[in-house]
């Protein structure tokens, strides 16, 4: 696994593909502190099965695409884990900063804490 390529690709593109139990899903994300973070559920993106995989610290496949031409840049396994949103305010803030077209941006993180799951996807080394 080439962590520098993963980090660069994740920083340059704001979407990726997740290999979920329900099938491949496109998701917006943010790269923060050595991992990919996504938010799912509630009013956010529907990523069926991700929260369950993350609750068990399971593994999923992540595919990053090239921002230049949309082609696959890198594919890697990642350990998924549910993020305690209160204990990880920097990660939640990084996600909120990248959330485009949010309804009521001021209440965004409170809604996530109430209705959504934040998941950290750490590239497996």
């Amino acid at each position: 696994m080439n962590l520098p390529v993963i980090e660069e690709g994740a920083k340059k593109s704001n979407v990726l593909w997740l290999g979920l139990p329900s099938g491949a899903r496109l998701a917006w994300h943010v790269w923060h502190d050595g991992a990919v973070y996504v938010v799912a559920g509630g009013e956010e993106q529907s990523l069926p099965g991700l929260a369950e995989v993350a609750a068990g610290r399971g593994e999923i496949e992540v595919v990053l695409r090239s921002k230049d031409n949309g082609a696959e840049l890198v594919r890697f396994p990642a350990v998924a884990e549910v993020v305690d949103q209160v204990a990880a305010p920097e990660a939640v803030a990084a996600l909120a900063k990248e959330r485009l077209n949010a309804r009521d941006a001021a209440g965004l993180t409170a809604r996530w804490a109430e209705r959504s799951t934040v998941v950290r996807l750490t590239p497996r080394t």
Side-chain angles (χ1 to χ4, degrees), residues 12-37:
K12 285 187 176 181
S13 180
N14 57 355
V15 295
L16 50 68
W17 289 94
L18 299 175
L20 300 175
S22 59
R25 293 287 181 129
L26 187 66
W28 67 271
H29 72 281
V30 68
W31 177 265
H32 175 75
D33 195 26
V36 170
Y37 286 81

Side-chain angles (χ1 to χ4, degrees), residues 3-124:
L3 193 56
V5 171
I6 292 171
E7 180 175 1
E8 183 178 345
K11 286 181 176 180
K12 285 187 176 181
S13 180
N14 57 355
V15 295
L16 50 68
W17 289 94
L18 299 175
L20 300 175
S22 59
R25 293 287 181 129
L26 187 66
W28 67 271
H29 72 281
V30 68
W31 177 265
H32 175 75
D33 195 26
V36 170
Y37 286 81
V38 297
V39 60
E43 296 176 24
E44 295 303 326
Q45 55 199 341
S46 176
L47 301 171
L50 179 60
E52 292 77 13
V53 171
R57 289 187 48 92
E59 188 174 285
I60 64 167
E61 184 176 62
V62 178
V63 179
L64 295 173
R65 67 181 183 91
S66 168
K67 188 168 185 167
D68 297 330
N69 61 17
E72 183 176 312
L73 179 65
V74 64
R75 179 181 300 254
F76 61 94
V79 175
E81 61 184 308
V82 174
V83 173
D84 178 344
Q85 295 180 48
V86 173
E90 297 87 9
V92 174
L95 274 166
K97 181 180 172 189
E98 294 301 318
R99 176 62 170 97
L100 303 177
N101 304 315
R103 176 185 70 78
D104 180 28
L108 182 63
T109 57
R111 279 196 313 278
W112 288 352
E114 223 176 87
R115 303 180 199 132
S116 301
T117 303
V118 174
V119 175
R120 176 184 171 105
L121 302 167
T122 306
R124 192 184 72 198

